[in-house]
Amino acid sequence: MDDDPLAVDPEIMRQMGYRTVDWLVERERRRRDEPVLQQMTVPDMSERIPAAAPATGEGLDSILSHLSEHVLPFRSRIDHPRYMAYVPGEGTWPGALGDLIASCYNIDVGNWMESAGPSQLELTVLNWFAGWIGYPESAAGVLVSGGSAANLTALACAREALVGAMSDDVVVYVSDQGHSSLARAARVLGFRPQQVRVLPVDERFRMRVDALSVALETDIAAGRRPLAVLAVAGSTNTGAVDRLSDMVKLCHHHGVWLHVDAAYGGFAAITSRGRELLSALALADSVTLDPHKWLYQPFECGAVLVRQGHLLSEAFEIHPDYLQDSVAAADREVNFADRGLQLTRMSRALKIWMSVRYFGLDAFTAAVDRCLSLAEHAQRFVEATDHLELMAPATLGIVCFRRRPQGENDEQRLEELNTALLTKLLDSGQAMISSTRLLGRYALRACILNHGTTATDVDSVLQWLATTPVDTAPRRTSLSQKTADVQAGWPLADAATVDDLASVPLLAGIDDGWRRWVAAVGRHRFVPAGH
């Protein structure tokens, strides 16, 4: 070891480990006292973190001190009990230790020959997931970085299974509440905007099955090939769960692949309430799950499951000469590199296995069930509170609402009020929620998934939003500024303009403000006569 410039003496390693763990545990002890969000400008951050790499090393205490003072304060505390923005991710300590072990061992779970133990661990964890959602023994899967990678993997598998090489006539279907990663997956795989049907939702923000049926029949009649319906079980906006049972029947009838993005919502299936809502997951062709969301694992950790598991390997398996020694030699051996995009893969299963072994599944079930109850509690609070208006009922862990003074009906003023209110909340550091749009209307969105959140946390945030005075004058926004669909930003996506819409008879009676809104959410679709 004397000539190894990167070696650390075992006793020094032990001291560094103790020091780092003590530092982390102390942070955990005072977590509730930290601001939920602390922002910083780019110039200020550039001054705090030197640009040049140091030529010589320094002590651990100095490094931890720099992190504590100049780096880690300036972020959102995603694991804070009053973090209710986007989809929270509070891990567990055993899960974090699992990541530490995986990193220290530097495990590569790419092939069975080099990682039989960690590979079996991943198979075990994936079998847990399959059982929880009701998948048959034929199912197979792979752990990936998150929902985006899982959705991409599933869509690639569907295309290889049903179509093969990409062509201009294949079509996929997603609702306007679908996660942006679904459209991104289609884009990366070579689909163009006209090959992605963005369908409307019903009053509960679920994909309209009647619209899906018409779209499928229309495309088939026009000689196009419907490939996949990209459903959602726990939409990011509202927590909505599409009508999966009806979609299964429709997809089976037309020979179309049904993929369900259940990134955060799928793990509600470990509770009795969630199992009832998500029973049809068992019939989908593929499912996305994110253990780093509602299974409380540290980032990153996603999963994709395919009901007929052999299709996953058939889509991705490649055997170059330089890997000829590692080809799976027995039926039960699995090379996870043959099931997805990554060749070198860290052991993501270790943290899941350790945390479930430590707490037991019942503890995770209780944590998820508690969040379901807190979301329902939040809905009741909104409905019972003056000046708060429910925008979408609590579904899974999400409830959408807004501040609405009595008698106020102007959407522009309501947006200005709620935008200012959200900005003031974020600036205060007391809590963090996010905003969205529902049927074009600005809404506040609380996502209650954190296993440390209490009813007191929920009540304090909602009471603050109901009663805190705000000045809306400096913050005027336009209805069209933040409105976008899942295809926003797609190259060559042809946006409609206000001038275009002025000549459309359907829109002749509306003012320019609403025309701007239609222009923002609309896209040109050129349809041949007779279609």
Side-chain angles (χ1 to χ4, degrees), residues 24 91-103 296-298 350-352 354-355:
L24 290 170
T92 64
W93 184 246
L97 293 179
D99 262 350
L100 174 63
I101 293 171
S103 294
Y296 303 117
Q297 300 304 310
L350 187 55
K351 56 188 169 188
I352 304 170
M354 279 189 65
S355 56

Side-chain angles (χ1 to χ4, degrees), residues 222-377:
R224 291 181 282 271
R225 290 190 290 178
L227 169 65
V229 173
L230 309 177
V232 177
S235 70
T236 305
N237 261 357
T238 67
V241 177
D242 285 335
R243 293 164 53 190
L244 300 179
S245 296
D246 293 335
M247 297 168 85
V248 166
K249 296 174 185 176
L250 195 57
C251 288
H252 283 179
H253 176 71
H254 291 292
V256 175
W257 187 284
L258 176 62
H259 172 66
V260 181
D261 178 5
Y264 95 79
F267 283 111
I270 65 176
T271 71
S272 58
R273 282 182 285 182
R275 197 156 40 246
E276 182 178 352
L277 185 62
L278 301 170
S279 60
L281 279 181
L283 302 176
D285 294 292
S286 57
V287 177
T288 284
L289 299 167
D290 264 10
H292 67 210
K293 292 188 173 78
W294 227 350
L295 199 62
Y296 303 117
Q297 300 304 310
F299 297 137
E300 303 168 344
C301 193
V304 59
L305 297 174
V306 177
R307 199 168 191 276
Q308 297 301 320
H310 65 91
L311 297 175
L312 197 55
S313 295
E314 290 173 11
F316 289 98
E317 188 172 3
I318 294 176
H319 296 299
D321 291 341
Y322 50 81
L323 293 178
Q324 62 184 12
D325 299 328
S326 65
V327 175
D331 290 341
R332 292 180 61 84
E333 291 183 2
V334 173
N335 288 344
F336 279 103
D338 295 336
R339 292 186 176 185
L341 301 174
Q342 286 183 272
L343 180 57
T344 302
R345 307 172 61 255
M346 70 177 294
S347 177
R348 297 185 175 96
L350 187 55
K351 56 188 169 188
I352 304 170
W353 184 81
M354 279 189 65
S355 56
V356 175
R357 281 286 299 268
Y358 181 83
F359 290 108
L361 182 59
D362 287 351
F364 286 90
T365 299
V368 174
D369 212 33
R370 185 161 165 265
C371 291
L372 292 170
S373 296
L374 284 176
E376 294 170 355
H377 170 81

Side-chain angles (χ1 to χ4, degrees), residues 71-87:
V71 179
L72 295 177
F74 308 110
R75 60 184 176 85
S76 63
R77 276 65 169 178
I78 292 177
D79 56 353
H80 195 288
R82 290 192 301 279
Y83 181 99
M84 303 174 194
Y86 310 112
V87 178

Side-chain angles (χ1 to χ4, degrees), residues 181-261:
S181 65
L182 296 169
R184 184 181 293 114
R187 191 159 111 189
V188 168
L189 291 170
F191 292 81
R192 306 316 308 151
Q194 64 271 21
Q195 293 176 269
V196 179
R197 302 280 181 262
V198 182
L199 302 178
V201 294
D202 62 18
E203 70 284 353
R204 293 172 59 184
F205 300 97
R206 306 171 300 180
M207 183 189 292
R208 281 179 44 191
V209 178
D210 60 337
L212 174 61
S213 179
V214 170
L216 288 166
E217 292 171 359
T218 301
D219 282 329
I220 292 169
R224 291 181 282 271
R225 290 190 290 178
L227 169 65
V229 173
L230 309 177
V232 177
S235 70
T236 305
N237 261 357
T238 67
V241 177
D242 285 335
R243 293 164 53 190
L244 300 179
S245 296
D246 293 335
M247 297 168 85
V248 166
K249 296 174 185 176
L250 195 57
C251 288
H252 283 179
H253 176 71
H254 291 292
V256 175
W257 187 284
L258 176 62
H259 172 66
V260 181
D261 178 5

Side-chain angles (χ1 to χ4, degrees), residues 176 411-412 415 437-442 478-484 496-498 501 507 510-523:
D176 62 20
E411 289 294 332
Q412 181 71 36
E415 178 172 335
R437 288 186 182 277
L438 302 177
L439 303 178
R441 298 183 300 169
Y442 187 95
S478 166
L479 279 174
S480 64
Q481 282 183 337
K482 297 182 181 178
T483 303
T497 68
V498 176
L501 297 175
L507 306 177
I510 68 172
D511 61 32
D512 284 344
W514 281 108
R515 282 202 189 100
R516 283 193 295 273
W517 179 81
V518 173
V521 301
R523 293 290 182 268

